[in-house]
Amino acid sequence: MIVLRPEIHRPRWESVLEDAEQAPTILIVDNIDLNRRLLRAMLKTSSYRILDAKRPSAALAILEREKVDLVVVDLVMAEMSGPDFCRILKGDRKTQLIPILMTTSVQGAENEVAGIESGADEFLIKPLQPTVVRTRVRAMLRNKALIDSLEEAETILFALAQAVEHRDKYTGMHCDRLAAYSIALGEALGLARQDQLALYRGGYLHDIGKISIPDVILFKRGLLTDEEWQTMRLHTIRGEEICRPMKTLAPVLPIIRSHHERWDGTGYPDGLRGEEIPILARILQVADIYDALTTARPYKPAFSHEHAIEIMLEEARRGWRDPELVLLFAEVSQTVPQASGASWPGAAPMQQSLENMRRQVSK
Ligand SMILES: [Fe+2]
């Protein structure tokens, strides 16, 4: 009988994963040939893929067609200054997350300030010390890899949330409208940008926990039994559990957990009352109810804006909703675009990443 030696046959997952990943790509932009050669030589000790460009226009052409992980650019160039080049990169959604290391032989703190202000992430003065260059480059690439993995994980979660939503043909575009209504209300309340971003994400992710609810309950026509309701209500807690491991989604968790609480304490899952209910969850709930009322569902036609607001005001009188929020929503909802989250500046990139993911999934 052959006995396998565990130390030989245990798979080395880490090295397998490392091999599978592509070497990071660094783009060096410098007018002077010698400078580019020097930098190449300094970075040769690691397995980087190094591209270089003599002119910024050539560098921009490379960035159009290649996935670059780090740009090293000189402050002074003939065609365009280093800071101007930085501004172009940081102003373009496709390149804004690429870290930039700026180098210069021109002494003076004002150059460093100009470089950093234009969006460069690090600044080094020549003559460059090989060990310093290598250490900075390694640290910057580590950060870039972290950003990439966060972006990927978040995009997957959003695509998952969209998939949950699209299974129900009656709620198409529901998330987009929710995000638009919630942000309009958030803006009217003067909420910080971070809270508005949480509302935007909450618009997509609030019902992600429905992925754990059996179809027979989720799509049941007719009334749910008490037991089925118990299961249905769990989507708030399951959703929070799904998103909790992602630290960037921490501000969205209260929305996911508490979007079915009621002002008078009769909601779920925690029976919170009044201002105990997180404000972002109250906002999303108002938007959610308005959208349910103004779109057609199997059990009801689409109500007019006026009729929907009447019902919501009645629910506020009954004590179910935050009365001030409903009144404010009655005002702002008249001006919100009906089916688009495009009113918020961060909406376009998020839509784009969702589109990309959809394309990947459908391949
Ligand atoms: Fe829900």
Side-chain angles (χ1 to χ4, degrees):
M1 192 174 74
I2 301 169
V3 179
L4 298 177
R5 282 164 54 202
E7 68 272 23
I8 293 177
H9 294 277
R10 194 187 309 129
R12 293 185 179 178
W13 298 117
E14 281 177 16
S15 61
V16 170
L17 289 174
E18 266 170 27
D19 290 348
E21 280 177 14
Q22 269 195 350
T25 302
I26 300 173
L27 172 61
I28 301 169
V29 194
D30 198 312
N31 279 359
I32 300 167
D33 296 345
L34 178 65
N35 288 345
R36 296 198 308 279
R37 278 208 301 275
L38 269 174
L39 264 167
R40 262 184 185 275
M42 286 179 197
L43 297 170
K44 226 177 172 176
T45 49
S46 297
S47 57
Y48 301 132
R49 177 173 165 252
I50 298 179
L51 309 172
D52 66 48
K54 193 172 183 150
R55 290 184 304 278
S57 56
L60 292 173
I62 291 174
L63 286 160
E64 270 293 314
R65 58 173 197 267
E66 300 276 353
K67 182 190 169 291
V68 172
D69 298 293
L70 173 74
V71 173
V72 185
V73 63
D74 196 59
L75 177 86
V76 182
M77 292 185 290
E79 207 177 44
M80 160 195 315
S81 76
D84 283 344
F85 180 73
C86 272
R87 270 186 279 275
I88 291 177
L89 258 56
K90 295 296 176 182
D92 185 339
R93 193 182 58 76
K94 291 201 293 283
T95 50
Q96 65 187 0
L97 294 178
I98 302 175
I100 302 174
L101 170 61
M102 192 174 279
T103 59
T104 185
S105 44
V106 185
Q107 294 285 338
E110 67 277 10
N111 290 322
E112 186 164 350
V113 170
I116 299 290
E117 273 183 355
S118 69
D121 300 87
E122 291 281 356
F123 199 87
L124 286 178
I125 294 175
K126 292 172 183 169
L128 299 174
Q129 301 296 320
T131 48
V132 175
V133 171
R134 282 183 213 125
T135 311
R136 291 279 169 92
V137 162
R138 238 191 339 264
M140 291 172 88
L141 286 171
R142 215 180 300 129
N143 275 344
K144 173 67 167 45
L146 198 66
I147 290 168
D148 285 352
S149 69
L150 279 177
E151 261 203 320
E152 242 168 59
E154 198 168 300
T155 307
I156 290 167
L157 264 189
F158 274 74
L160 197 63
Q162 288 264 285
V164 171
E165 207 66 48
H166 284 177
R167 287 170 70 210
D168 184 350
K169 62 180 186 262
Y170 296 101
T171 57
M173 300 295 287
H174 172 64
C175 295
D176 304 71
R177 290 189 303 264
L178 265 195
Y181 297 146
S182 307
I183 290 163
L185 198 45
E187 268 177 357
L189 283 165
L191 293 186
R193 219 65 183 148
Q194 254 184 328
D195 290 333
Q196 291 185 36
L197 178 60
L199 282 171
Y200 183 81
R201 289 164 156 164
Y204 287 89
L205 295 172
H206 67 288
D207 270 343
I208 195 168
K210 282 186 178 171
I211 204 156
S212 67
I213 308 296
D215 285 5
V216 284
I217 298 178
L218 201 58
F219 301 118
K220 183 177 176 182
R221 289 183 176 249
L223 295 173
L224 298 181
T225 64
D226 284 350
E227 205 179 322
E228 287 167 340
W229 258 120
Q230 297 285 350
T231 306
M232 188 67 159
R233 288 174 175 176
L234 288 176
H235 80 273
T236 50
I237 295 167
R238 295 278 177 269
E240 190 192 25
E241 284 166 358
I242 290 169
C243 295
R244 192 184 292 130
M246 280 212 65
K247 286 210 163 41
T248 53
L249 293 180
V252 191
L253 299 185
I255 299 179
I256 299 172
R257 186 176 181 99
S258 304
H259 72 277
H260 285 290
E261 297 290 355
R262 277 186 183 167
W263 191 246
D264 62 3
T266 60
Y268 63 89
D270 302 307
L272 300 179
R273 181 187 291 270
E275 292 187 356
E276 283 172 2
I277 308 166
I279 179 73
L280 299 183
R282 275 181 271 151
I283 291 174
L284 188 102
Q285 186 187 61
V286 167
D288 198 11
I289 293 164
Y290 176 78
D291 190 61
L293 291 170
T294 51
T295 50
R297 299 287 162 96
Y299 50 88
K300 64 168 262 306
F303 296 151
S304 68
H305 167 77
E306 291 73 21
H307 190 191
I309 295 294
E310 247 173 59
I311 294 173
M312 289 168 73
L313 288 170
E314 176 52 32
E315 287 190 356
R317 273 192 291 275
R318 274 195 230 165
W320 291 357
R321 318 285 169 224
D322 179 340
E324 285 177 22
L325 217 49
V326 173
L327 276 174
L328 183 62
F329 186 76
E331 252 175 66
V332 300
S333 56
Q334 297 177 48
T335 58
V336 180
Q338 287 293 300
S340 138
S343 62
W344 180 71
M350 199 69 87
Q351 285 295 348
Q352 186 58 50
S353 67
L354 280 169
E355 263 314 303
N356 292 343
M357 180 51 85
R358 265 186 229 121
R359 270 201 296 274
Q360 290 291 326
V361 169
S362 61
K363 262 182 196 170

